[in-house]
Amino acid sequence: MKVEPIILAPLANESQPIEVQLIRRVKMQPIKLRLVPPPGIVGIECEPGEVGVDQDRAVLQLRVAPKSVLPPRLTLDIKAESSRD
């Protein structure tokens, strides 16, 4: 999985896209993606996404709740789940 670094700068009630690219070595079912915020960080939301069988990328929409206080540098984990045919 490849995700380019981003500068997190969404305004309240706006979202910021995160493009995720996957490289498959074997045929797999659709791959489900979800964001896992770091422990102790609140106010970050991201709807789960999916990379279809014939696709190699997806775009997740990251939202930061109004009045959230985030550290200057933040690492977000994206989990990918699927099964093989």
Side-chain angles (χ1 to χ4, degrees), residues 28-78:
M28 300 177 87
Q29 295 296 322
I31 298 172
K32 296 178 183 175
L33 303 172
R34 64 183 173 86
L35 179 92
V36 180
I41 300 295
V42 295
I44 294 177
E45 301 173 351
C46 187
E47 293 291 323
E50 185 173 283
V51 180
V53 174
D54 58 344
Q55 299 173 328
D56 66 351
R57 64 188 66 226
V59 177
L60 301 176
Q61 294 296 326
L62 178 69
R63 288 181 301 283
V64 177
K67 299 183 182 179
S68 292
V69 178
L70 302 176
R73 292 188 62 99
L74 180 64
T75 300
L76 302 171
D77 291 329
I78 297 174

Side-chain angles (χ1 to χ4, degrees), residues 13-42:
N13 298 323
E14 290 187 357
S15 63
Q16 180 165 345
I18 300 175
E19 185 173 312
V20 180
Q21 181 181 8
L22 294 167
I23 299 167
R24 299 177 185 183
R25 293 190 175 113
V26 296
K27 186 173 179 174
M28 300 177 87
Q29 295 296 322
I31 298 172
K32 296 178 183 175
L33 303 172
R34 64 183 173 86
L35 179 92
V36 180
I41 300 295
V42 295

